[in-house]
Amino acid sequence: AQSVSQHNHHVILSEAASLELGCNYSYGGTVNLFWYVQYPGQHLQLLLKYFSGDPLVKGIKGFEAEFIKSKFSFNLRKPSVQWSDTAEYFCAVNANNAGNMLTFGGGTRLMVKP
Amino acid sequence: DVKVTQSSRYLVKRTGEKVFLECVQDMDHENMFWYRQDPGLGLRLIYFSYDVKMKEKGDIPEGYSVSREKKERFSLILESASTNQTSMYLCASLPAEFTDTQYFGPGTRLTVL
C-alpha cells in the first residue's frame, strides 16, 4: 500500500515569507497528486492537482506545486504568504493500482503571523 | 457547484450507542467515501462505495459499517460506539472517472463519552 509523508507538522511564518511544504509518496507507478487546504471551520477544498503533462502545476491563490518523479515528491510552494493562508494543508495521492482511493498525508498546519 | 452535505456538524454519543452519520450529494456521483480525520494522521479512509449497494473496505474499517441504498446517500454506522471513535468524520463524492477531485462535506465532529 502506498503512503504519503508530510514532513512538517507545524509551520509558522511571517507575512510575505516564502512557503514550501514537503510531500513524498511511496508508490513507484503512475500517480495522480493533489494538495487540499482546510481553512479554520471550513470544508476541505482542492488547491491544485497533477494528472499528467507539465510537472509544475499552478493552483488557486498563488500556490504552485512541482512533481519530481525521481524524488517521489510533490512539494507545495508560494512565494509570499498572507495571513489568510493560515490553514491546514494536506497532500494526497491516487495510485493507478488503487482505483478511486486517495491516500492522504498527515497534514501541515500553517500559521501566518500578521 | 457540487454539494455534499452531512446530517450533523456536532454529535455527542455515549459508549455502546449505535450511531448513524448521513451524507448526501447532489451531483449524481457514482463514488462516495467516508474518512476520519485525526490530528497528525491526516484523513484515513474507512469505507467507500462505487455504486448503489456496493461497498469496499478502506484502511480502517474495523468498528464501522456502511449503507448505500440510494445513489445520493451514503451512511456510516458505528454499531457500538467507543471512545476511540471520537473524531472528525468527512464524507466525499467523486464522479465515475477519476479525472476530477473528490468533493468533501463539512464534516461531523463526533464525541463518544
Side-chain angles (χ1 to χ4, degrees):
Chain A
Q2 59 267 27
S3 64
V4 180
S5 298
Q6 292 181 241
H7 310 294
N8 311 103
H9 297 296
H10 291 91
V11 173
I12 302 174
L13 295 172
S14 297
E15 275 195 314
S18 65
L19 170 72
E20 181 159 1
L21 302 182
C23 173
N24 288 89
Y25 61 93
S26 63
Y27 181 64
T30 302
V31 291
N32 299 313
L33 300 159
F34 305 81
W35 275 98
Y36 286 87
V37 60
Q38 189 172 34
Y39 298 103
Q42 294 190 25
H43 296 207
L44 205 65
Q45 56 186 282
L46 183 70
L47 205 52
L48 49 78
K49 61 186 179 183
Y50 171 82
F51 280 86
S52 62
D54 189 343
L56 184 61
V57 180
K58 296 199 183 296
I60 60 171
K61 304 187 181 188
F63 285 90
E64 65 179 31
E66 185 173 13
F67 170 46
I68 303 179
K69 190 173 181 180
S70 60
K71 294 185 178 180
F72 301 92
S73 71
F74 190 56
N75 292 355
L76 182 71
R77 299 194 293 247
K78 185 171 183 178
S80 176
V81 294
Q82 300 171 311
W83 175 78
S84 57
D85 294 323
T86 294
E88 189 159 17
Y89 293 82
F90 295 93
C91 180
V93 175
N94 165 250
N96 68 350
N97 70 344
N100 293 324
M101 291 174 61
L102 279 177
T103 300
F104 283 82
T108 298
R109 282 188 186 274
L110 171 66
M111 179 183 293
V112 179
K113 298 184 293 185
Chain B
D1 271 356
V2 176
K3 185 169 279 186
V4 180
T5 56
Q6 295 182 229
S7 51
S8 306
R9 290 301 301 271
Y10 299 94
L11 210 52
V12 180
K13 295 291 182 181
R14 295 204 176 275
T15 301
E17 280 193 78
K18 190 168 186 175
V19 182
F20 291 88
L21 303 183
E22 303 284 340
C23 175
V24 177
Q25 50 95 3
D26 66 356
M27 281 301 290
D28 203 36
H29 286 170
E30 284 74 9
N31 302 290
M32 296 186 75
F33 305 81
W34 274 107
Y35 296 90
R36 62 177 283 176
Q37 181 182 5
D38 298 290
L41 298 177
L43 278 71
R44 292 178 293 166
L45 182 65
I46 303 171
Y47 267 98
F48 71 99
S49 168
Y50 53 90
D51 202 350
V52 175
K53 296 191 187 294
M54 306 304 288
K55 59 186 179 185
E56 291 285 342
K57 292 179 180 179
D59 298 318
I60 51 164
E62 296 79 19
Y64 303 94
S65 62
V66 290
S67 172
R68 190 148 180 221
E69 297 297 319
K70 293 184 178 181
K71 192 175 186 180
E72 67 271 18
R73 188 179 298 268
F74 191 36
S75 303
L76 180 69
I77 303 154
L78 287 67
E79 294 290 342
S80 177
S82 63
T83 55
N84 63 12
Q85 292 178 309
T86 292
S87 187
M88 172 70 88
Y89 289 87
L90 296 178
C91 176
S93 75
L94 177 75
E97 295 298 321
F98 204 122
T99 57
D100 202 346
T101 179
Q102 292 189 12
Y103 293 88
F104 285 86
T108 296
R109 185 166 291 284
L110 172 67
T111 301
V112 183
L113 303 175

